Amino acid sequence: MFSGEVLYFIQIWVMINILIILGLTSSIYIVQFISARNKARKTKTTDELLRIFHASLAASSDKKLITIPSLSAKHHYFDIILTINKFEEDIENNAVWLKLREQLAKEQLVATARKYAKSRYWFKNFQALMCFNFYMDATDDLLVEKLLHSKIPIITLHACRVAIKYSMPRAINTVIDWLNETRKPNRSLYIHYFKSSSQEVITLLLERFLKEDHPYIKVGLYDIFANLLPQQQLLAMTLIDSNAELLELKLAALRMLSHLQPENLGELLAAEHQDEHWEVRALIAKQMGIYAVTEKANILLSLLKDSEWWVRLNAAHALLQLNDEGKQTLLQLNKEDDLYAYEAAQHALQHYNKKLEN
Amino acid sequence: MPHFIVIANFIILVYFLILAIGYTLLLIASFPGIMRSNLEAKYGHINKLLGTIEPPPVTIIMPAYNEGEAAFDAMLSVLKNTYQNTKLIVINDGSTDNTLELMIERFHLEAIPCIVPEKIKTAAIKNYYISRLYPQLVVLDTEHSHTGDSMNSAINACQSPYFASVDADTLLEKEAISNLMYSVLTQPHCVCVGGSVYVLNDCEFKDGEFIEQHIPEHFVAAIQVCEYLRSFLFARSGWNFLNGSLSFAGAFTLFERQAALDIGGYDLNNFAQDAEIVMHLHAHIYENKLPAKIRFTPNLLAWTDVPDTFGSYWNQRNHWQRGLLYSILSYFRMCFNPRYKITGLVTYPYFLLFEVLSPLFEFTAYTLLVVELIYGYTTLHNAALYFALAWSFITALTIGTFLLSNLSFNRYYKLQDTLIIFLLITVEMFGFRQFKVVCRCFGIGHFIINRLLGKKL
């Protein structure tokens, strides 16, 4: 079939394969042995660090912090950071520990973090941000801003969190600009991070909001403010936006109105109950129920006869939320008068009864 | 010896040589990626890493047709996952048995009115259920159609930026979703991530929670342990080096929802829709010059039931082969097309020649060997040498993969399991591989005949 040379080549190839098989097989057993040993060593490191943290915390008080012994020489940097997180799961918001942690980060970790922040490997960037989350000074702002523009989502998200924690104006404005991006898998996360905003960040957000004219960024800002305590400075602009042509902006502004709860909320919501967009009408019905706008129950009755199922359903639910009178109104509805309103009412009543049963 | 046999022999030897070089390079290429992923996973504690941020929401979509209670474990494995921001959408694809009733009872489902925006055209959704027991569970009751159509309904109903497809006979590892999301979050704009799937048969689990892995008792299922190891651990990981594999397992793959919507979701004409959608995404990325990536994570994520009889194995592989052929030929425009860069110039041709069409070459090689023996063109010694070459190469490759598995995400660490795997690797070439080749060749023939007769896939 083949000449002698080819057969010789095949023979050599088979021999090499067999040698590889033998080599690989023995490697597998060696690897299994080594990994069992490494696992034990790693657990030992974490336990040792935890012991140090516990001892330091026990020896410290509000007035006198002890210095945590040098860790970085003996332990891997990321081990220390992860063990800090593990330790904090057990001790929940201990003020003395927070001071100790800051001291540890400042004296032993931040120098490496600055070096890691400049690395091209995301994992080192990540470790840097974890440390900055514990401690950073003004000179580190530029590093965090650089990391905010990383292409790796986890780095961007972490940098965003750090920027909000330390109220970094330029970085925060960059994040707000991103709320306008068309492809936004992480948009809701950026908004979520602002939940923990300090007063300084809220001031930054308000400043930006009041001079912002991009409708989609405004929608994002409304979403951020919806997670914060009501900021009355927004009211004037919100009233203007509640008449916006862009549906998303109008809906966000109406939601914000309910959040701000001005005295004439009922009037303001009622004014929009005949809007051309069913989404607006459905939202009006829902908000009237949530904020118990009892004086406008007649509006809900008219929304109960709306041409859209969602508007009717929200109106029926809202009537149930208002008071017992609302419930009676729904019970008195007649199939023959308006079948659609009747069905929406029945659906809401069924849901209401089930909820009561549970 | 006739001239054509000599030529055929040389073609096969050259083909085998290129295949061997290709596979060896893939194994080597997969090594750094797997080791790095493993270090990051072990050292970085993925769950803690993700726990430091609010994790992006992910929806798991799971089509179920006449699954009965069999789907419950898969559903529970998703619902008990450690990822904190998960929603599960199960699509009852017009089951004719009591699947829906069982789900209603087990998960306390309640029908609610809901409008699902039809971004992709699908069969009608009859009812939308939410669970009173698990707030993150939604069940869509649809008219019976194609699996791809059910998945498309779920994509329409999904509200999160990412979704993952999971089969109803698949059990997720507790940290599976975290691991997939970790891949998405640690790479620049990843639109699709596939994960490793292992064999579930005979493993111990209860209420969706995995207890202990075992090598299956049935030979057909057991031998697929080696097959899955080879296929997932190194083959797909190796392709990460060249812009990602062309096909991932339908059992568990994650997508960016917008990317799936951009390409119109799953293909309804193909029963290997999971492979097709990945190829479609590759084509879409290059055709629209998108800065997006498709990646595979070697981390073990899911366990799936595999056929345990020769008959069911034959049917499954016949299906896969036809679906894969249909998918790859649908994107033939990528072949050697510089517009698709490395995927068009290397990955696609290699995948077509050395993955999809490889059974034809292997079948020809076996047939030639038999013919040459019968007509005395070769000696028994030489024939045994060729067979030894094939055996030793496949065995070395699989053991190499098993070593890689041991260095990284190994789950077969018991001495007994290791020994059984060695035994399976050794005997795979003695009959089973030839059976698989015949079965896949049959699939190719079946595909061609159906095409010629103008029938469906």
Short mmCIF file of all heavy atoms in Angstrom, two decimals, chain A residues 150-153 181-183 185, chain B residues 162 183-184 186-192 243 256 258-259 262 281-295 339 341:
data_model
loop_
_atom_site.label_atom_id
_atom_site.label_comp_id
_atom_site.label_asym_id
_atom_site.label_seq_id
_atom_site.Cartn_x
_atom_site.Cartn_y
_atom_site.Cartn_z
N SER A 150 -12.49 51.15 30.53
CA SER A 150 -12.02 49.81 30.13
C SER A 150 -13.09 49.13 29.26
O SER A 150 -14.27 49.43 29.36
CB SER A 150 -11.78 48.97 31.39
OG SER A 150 -11.71 47.62 31.07
N LYS A 151 -12.62 48.23 28.39
CA LYS A 151 -13.58 47.51 27.55
C LYS A 151 -14.19 46.32 28.28
O LYS A 151 -15.11 45.68 27.80
CB LYS A 151 -12.88 47.01 26.27
CG LYS A 151 -12.65 48.13 25.28
CD LYS A 151 -12.05 47.59 24.02
CE LYS A 151 -11.87 48.71 23.01
NZ LYS A 151 -11.10 48.28 21.86
N ILE A 152 -13.62 45.99 29.43
CA ILE A 152 -14.10 44.84 30.20
C ILE A 152 -15.25 45.29 31.11
O ILE A 152 -15.04 46.12 32.00
CB ILE A 152 -12.96 44.24 31.07
CG1 ILE A 152 -11.72 43.97 30.22
CG2 ILE A 152 -13.41 43.01 31.80
CD1 ILE A 152 -11.84 42.87 29.21
N PRO A 153 -16.45 44.76 30.90
CA PRO A 153 -17.60 45.26 31.66
C PRO A 153 -17.43 45.24 33.17
O PRO A 153 -17.82 46.20 33.84
CB PRO A 153 -18.74 44.33 31.23
CG PRO A 153 -18.32 43.77 29.93
CD PRO A 153 -16.84 43.73 29.93
N GLU A 181 -26.69 55.47 25.68
CA GLU A 181 -26.25 54.48 24.69
C GLU A 181 -27.39 53.60 24.23
O GLU A 181 -28.25 53.20 25.02
CB GLU A 181 -25.14 53.62 25.29
CG GLU A 181 -23.83 54.36 25.27
CD GLU A 181 -22.72 53.54 25.89
OE1 GLU A 181 -22.93 52.37 26.20
OE2 GLU A 181 -21.63 54.12 26.07
N THR A 182 -27.39 53.32 22.92
CA THR A 182 -28.49 52.54 22.37
C THR A 182 -28.44 51.09 22.83
O THR A 182 -29.44 50.49 23.15
CB THR A 182 -28.48 52.59 20.84
OG1 THR A 182 -27.15 52.33 20.42
CG2 THR A 182 -28.96 53.91 20.32
N ARG A 183 -27.24 50.52 22.86
CA ARG A 183 -27.10 49.14 23.31
C ARG A 183 -26.68 49.19 24.76
O ARG A 183 -25.56 49.57 25.07
CB ARG A 183 -26.00 48.47 22.47
CG ARG A 183 -26.20 47.01 22.33
CD ARG A 183 -25.07 46.42 21.53
NE ARG A 183 -25.38 45.04 21.27
CZ ARG A 183 -25.92 44.60 20.16
NH1 ARG A 183 -26.20 45.44 19.20
NH2 ARG A 183 -26.17 43.32 19.99
N PRO A 185 -26.83 46.90 27.82
CA PRO A 185 -27.07 45.79 28.74
C PRO A 185 -26.78 46.14 30.20
O PRO A 185 -27.36 45.57 31.10
CB PRO A 185 -26.15 44.69 28.24
CG PRO A 185 -25.22 45.32 27.30
CD PRO A 185 -25.82 46.58 26.82
N TYR B 162 -29.57 39.64 28.94
CA TYR B 162 -28.97 38.36 28.57
C TYR B 162 -29.97 37.22 28.80
O TYR B 162 -30.78 37.30 29.71
CB TYR B 162 -27.73 38.08 29.43
CG TYR B 162 -26.66 39.12 29.27
CD1 TYR B 162 -26.50 40.13 30.22
CD2 TYR B 162 -25.81 39.12 28.17
CE1 TYR B 162 -25.54 41.11 30.07
CE2 TYR B 162 -24.84 40.10 28.02
CZ TYR B 162 -24.71 41.09 28.97
OH TYR B 162 -23.75 42.05 28.82
N SER B 183 -17.85 35.07 32.37
CA SER B 183 -17.22 35.14 31.05
C SER B 183 -17.67 36.38 30.31
O SER B 183 -16.88 37.02 29.62
CB SER B 183 -17.62 33.92 30.21
OG SER B 183 -16.77 32.88 30.45
N VAL B 184 -18.96 36.70 30.41
CA VAL B 184 -19.49 37.86 29.70
C VAL B 184 -18.87 39.14 30.26
O VAL B 184 -18.47 40.04 29.51
CB VAL B 184 -21.03 37.93 29.85
CG1 VAL B 184 -21.58 39.25 29.33
CG2 VAL B 184 -21.68 36.78 29.10
N THR B 186 -16.10 39.60 31.88
CA THR B 186 -14.64 39.75 31.90
C THR B 186 -14.03 39.76 30.50
O THR B 186 -12.83 39.59 30.35
CB THR B 186 -13.99 38.63 32.73
OG1 THR B 186 -14.42 37.38 32.18
CG2 THR B 186 -14.38 38.70 34.18
N GLN B 187 -14.87 39.96 29.50
CA GLN B 187 -14.36 40.06 28.14
C GLN B 187 -15.05 41.21 27.44
O GLN B 187 -16.21 41.50 27.73
CB GLN B 187 -14.62 38.76 27.38
CG GLN B 187 -13.76 37.65 27.92
CD GLN B 187 -14.08 36.31 27.32
OE1 GLN B 187 -13.63 36.03 26.25
NE2 GLN B 187 -14.86 35.52 28.02
N PRO B 188 -14.36 41.83 26.48
CA PRO B 188 -14.99 42.97 25.82
C PRO B 188 -16.18 42.53 24.96
O PRO B 188 -16.04 41.64 24.13
CB PRO B 188 -13.88 43.54 24.94
CG PRO B 188 -12.64 42.83 25.32
CD PRO B 188 -13.01 41.56 25.98
N HIS B 189 -17.28 43.11 25.16
CA HIS B 189 -18.54 42.88 24.44
C HIS B 189 -18.74 41.45 23.92
O HIS B 189 -18.63 41.17 22.72
CB HIS B 189 -18.71 43.87 23.29
CG HIS B 189 -20.13 43.94 22.86
ND1 HIS B 189 -20.56 44.75 21.83
CD2 HIS B 189 -21.25 43.32 23.32
CE1 HIS B 189 -21.86 44.61 21.69
NE2 HIS B 189 -22.28 43.75 22.58
N CYS B 190 -19.04 40.58 24.83
CA CYS B 190 -19.28 39.18 24.49
C CYS B 190 -20.78 38.99 24.23
O CYS B 190 -21.58 39.29 25.11
CB CYS B 190 -18.85 38.36 25.70
SG CYS B 190 -18.28 36.77 25.30
N VAL B 191 -21.14 38.54 23.03
CA VAL B 191 -22.57 38.39 22.74
C VAL B 191 -23.06 36.95 22.90
O VAL B 191 -24.26 36.70 22.87
CB VAL B 191 -22.93 38.90 21.32
CG1 VAL B 191 -22.80 40.39 21.24
CG2 VAL B 191 -22.12 38.19 20.27
N CYS B 192 -22.14 36.02 23.02
CA CYS B 192 -22.54 34.62 23.16
C CYS B 192 -21.44 33.86 23.90
O CYS B 192 -20.27 34.00 23.58
CB CYS B 192 -22.76 34.05 21.76
SG CYS B 192 -23.04 32.29 21.74
N ASN B 243 -11.19 33.33 17.42
CA ASN B 243 -12.50 34.00 17.40
C ASN B 243 -13.70 33.13 17.71
O ASN B 243 -14.82 33.45 17.32
CB ASN B 243 -12.74 34.72 16.07
CG ASN B 243 -12.16 36.10 16.08
OD1 ASN B 243 -11.59 36.52 17.08
ND2 ASN B 243 -12.28 36.81 14.99
N GLU B 256 -26.54 37.52 24.27
CA GLU B 256 -27.05 38.86 24.54
C GLU B 256 -28.36 38.95 23.77
O GLU B 256 -28.42 38.65 22.58
CB GLU B 256 -26.05 39.91 24.03
CG GLU B 256 -26.44 41.31 24.45
CD GLU B 256 -25.57 42.38 23.80
OE1 GLU B 256 -24.43 42.54 24.22
OE2 GLU B 256 -26.06 43.01 22.85
N GLN B 258 -30.20 41.39 22.65
CA GLN B 258 -30.28 42.29 21.51
C GLN B 258 -29.63 41.64 20.28
O GLN B 258 -30.14 41.75 19.16
CB GLN B 258 -29.61 43.62 21.85
CG GLN B 258 -29.85 44.72 20.83
CD GLN B 258 -31.33 44.97 20.56
OE1 GLN B 258 -32.10 45.16 21.49
NE2 GLN B 258 -31.74 44.94 19.29
N ALA B 259 -28.52 40.93 20.50
CA ALA B 259 -27.84 40.27 19.38
C ALA B 259 -28.74 39.21 18.77
O ALA B 259 -28.83 39.07 17.55
CB ALA B 259 -26.53 39.66 19.86
N ASP B 262 -31.41 40.90 16.81
CA ASP B 262 -30.87 41.46 15.56
C ASP B 262 -30.82 40.42 14.44
O ASP B 262 -30.95 40.76 13.26
CB ASP B 262 -29.45 42.01 15.78
CG ASP B 262 -29.46 43.27 16.62
OD1 ASP B 262 -30.54 43.86 16.80
OD2 ASP B 262 -28.38 43.67 17.13
N LEU B 281 -24.66 34.22 14.27
CA LEU B 281 -24.07 35.35 15.01
C LEU B 281 -22.67 35.69 14.48
O LEU B 281 -22.35 36.86 14.31
CB LEU B 281 -23.97 35.00 16.50
CG LEU B 281 -25.21 35.30 17.34
CD1 LEU B 281 -25.03 34.80 18.76
CD2 LEU B 281 -25.51 36.80 17.38
N HIS B 282 -21.88 34.64 14.19
CA HIS B 282 -20.55 34.87 13.62
C HIS B 282 -20.68 35.69 12.34
O HIS B 282 -20.00 36.70 12.15
CB HIS B 282 -19.88 33.54 13.29
CG HIS B 282 -19.10 32.95 14.42
ND1 HIS B 282 -17.93 33.50 14.88
CD2 HIS B 282 -19.30 31.86 15.19
CE1 HIS B 282 -17.45 32.77 15.88
NE2 HIS B 282 -18.28 31.76 16.09
N ALA B 283 -21.58 35.22 11.43
CA ALA B 283 -21.76 35.90 10.15
C ALA B 283 -22.22 37.34 10.38
O ALA B 283 -21.71 38.28 9.76
CB ALA B 283 -22.78 35.13 9.31
N HIS B 284 -23.16 37.51 11.28
CA HIS B 284 -23.74 38.83 11.57
C HIS B 284 -22.67 39.80 12.08
O HIS B 284 -22.63 40.97 11.68
CB HIS B 284 -24.85 38.65 12.62
CG HIS B 284 -25.48 39.92 13.06
ND1 HIS B 284 -26.34 40.64 12.26
CD2 HIS B 284 -25.38 40.62 14.23
CE1 HIS B 284 -26.74 41.73 12.91
NE2 HIS B 284 -26.18 41.73 14.10
N ILE B 285 -21.80 39.30 12.96
CA ILE B 285 -20.76 40.16 13.54
C ILE B 285 -19.84 40.69 12.44
O ILE B 285 -19.54 41.88 12.38
CB ILE B 285 -19.95 39.37 14.60
CG1 ILE B 285 -20.80 39.20 15.86
CG2 ILE B 285 -18.65 40.08 14.95
CD1 ILE B 285 -20.23 38.23 16.88
N TYR B 286 -19.42 39.78 11.53
CA TYR B 286 -18.50 40.21 10.48
C TYR B 286 -19.20 41.07 9.44
O TYR B 286 -18.65 42.06 8.96
CB TYR B 286 -17.85 39.00 9.81
CG TYR B 286 -16.80 38.37 10.68
CD1 TYR B 286 -16.99 37.12 11.25
CD2 TYR B 286 -15.62 39.04 10.98
CE1 TYR B 286 -16.04 36.55 12.08
CE2 TYR B 286 -14.66 38.48 11.80
CZ TYR B 286 -14.88 37.23 12.35
OH TYR B 286 -13.93 36.68 13.17
N GLU B 287 -20.41 40.67 9.07
CA GLU B 287 -21.11 41.42 8.02
C GLU B 287 -21.44 42.84 8.47
O GLU B 287 -21.53 43.74 7.64
CB GLU B 287 -22.39 40.67 7.61
CG GLU B 287 -22.07 39.48 6.71
CD GLU B 287 -23.17 38.43 6.67
OE1 GLU B 287 -24.25 38.69 7.19
OE2 GLU B 287 -22.92 37.33 6.11
N ASN B 288 -21.64 43.04 9.76
CA ASN B 288 -21.97 44.38 10.25
C ASN B 288 -20.81 45.05 10.98
O ASN B 288 -20.98 46.10 11.59
CB ASN B 288 -23.19 44.31 11.18
CG ASN B 288 -24.41 43.87 10.42
OD1 ASN B 288 -24.98 44.64 9.67
ND2 ASN B 288 -24.78 42.61 10.57
N LYS B 289 -19.65 44.40 10.88
CA LYS B 289 -18.42 44.93 11.49
C LYS B 289 -18.64 45.34 12.95
O LYS B 289 -18.32 46.45 13.36
CB LYS B 289 -17.90 46.11 10.68
CG LYS B 289 -17.48 45.72 9.28
CD LYS B 289 -16.83 46.86 8.56
CE LYS B 289 -16.32 46.36 7.22
NZ LYS B 289 -16.56 47.17 6.11
N LEU B 290 -19.24 44.44 13.70
CA LEU B 290 -19.54 44.74 15.10
C LEU B 290 -18.34 44.38 15.98
O LEU B 290 -17.69 43.38 15.73
CB LEU B 290 -20.77 43.94 15.57
CG LEU B 290 -22.06 44.18 14.82
CD1 LEU B 290 -23.14 43.23 15.30
CD2 LEU B 290 -22.52 45.62 15.01
N PRO B 291 -18.08 45.18 17.00
CA PRO B 291 -16.95 44.84 17.88
C PRO B 291 -17.36 43.81 18.93
O PRO B 291 -17.22 44.02 20.13
CB PRO B 291 -16.63 46.19 18.54
CG PRO B 291 -17.94 46.90 18.56
CD PRO B 291 -18.78 46.40 17.43
N ALA B 292 -17.94 42.71 18.49
CA ALA B 292 -18.48 41.73 19.44
C ALA B 292 -17.71 40.41 19.36
O ALA B 292 -17.06 40.13 18.35
CB ALA B 292 -19.95 41.50 19.14
N LYS B 293 -17.81 39.64 20.41
CA LYS B 293 -17.08 38.37 20.46
C LYS B 293 -17.98 37.21 20.84
O LYS B 293 -18.99 37.40 21.52
CB LYS B 293 -15.96 38.47 21.49
CG LYS B 293 -14.80 39.32 21.05
CD LYS B 293 -13.66 39.16 22.03
CE LYS B 293 -12.51 40.11 21.76
NZ LYS B 293 -12.10 40.28 20.39
N ILE B 294 -17.56 36.02 20.40
CA ILE B 294 -18.25 34.78 20.80
C ILE B 294 -17.22 33.93 21.51
O ILE B 294 -16.13 33.71 20.99
CB ILE B 294 -18.81 34.07 19.56
CG1 ILE B 294 -19.95 34.91 18.97
CG2 ILE B 294 -19.28 32.66 19.89
CD1 ILE B 294 -20.49 34.43 17.67
N ARG B 295 -17.54 33.49 22.70
CA ARG B 295 -16.53 32.81 23.49
C ARG B 295 -17.06 31.51 24.09
O ARG B 295 -18.27 31.30 24.19
CB ARG B 295 -16.08 33.72 24.65
CG ARG B 295 -15.10 34.77 24.21
CD ARG B 295 -13.75 34.12 23.92
NE ARG B 295 -12.77 35.05 23.41
CZ ARG B 295 -12.55 35.31 22.12
NH1 ARG B 295 -13.27 34.73 21.20
NH2 ARG B 295 -11.60 36.14 21.76
N ARG B 339 -13.65 38.44 4.03
CA ARG B 339 -14.53 39.37 4.74
C ARG B 339 -14.82 38.87 6.17
O ARG B 339 -15.07 39.66 7.07
CB ARG B 339 -15.84 39.46 3.94
CG ARG B 339 -16.79 40.50 4.47
CD ARG B 339 -18.08 40.48 3.68
NE ARG B 339 -19.05 41.37 4.29
CZ ARG B 339 -20.33 41.37 4.00
NH1 ARG B 339 -20.79 40.54 3.08
NH2 ARG B 339 -21.15 42.19 4.57
N LYS B 341 -12.74 37.26 7.94
CA LYS B 341 -11.43 37.18 8.61
C LYS B 341 -11.07 35.74 9.00
O LYS B 341 -11.32 34.83 8.24
CB LYS B 341 -11.42 38.13 9.81
CG LYS B 341 -11.57 39.57 9.35
CD LYS B 341 -11.42 40.55 10.48
CE LYS B 341 -11.60 41.94 9.88
NZ LYS B 341 -11.86 42.94 10.87
#
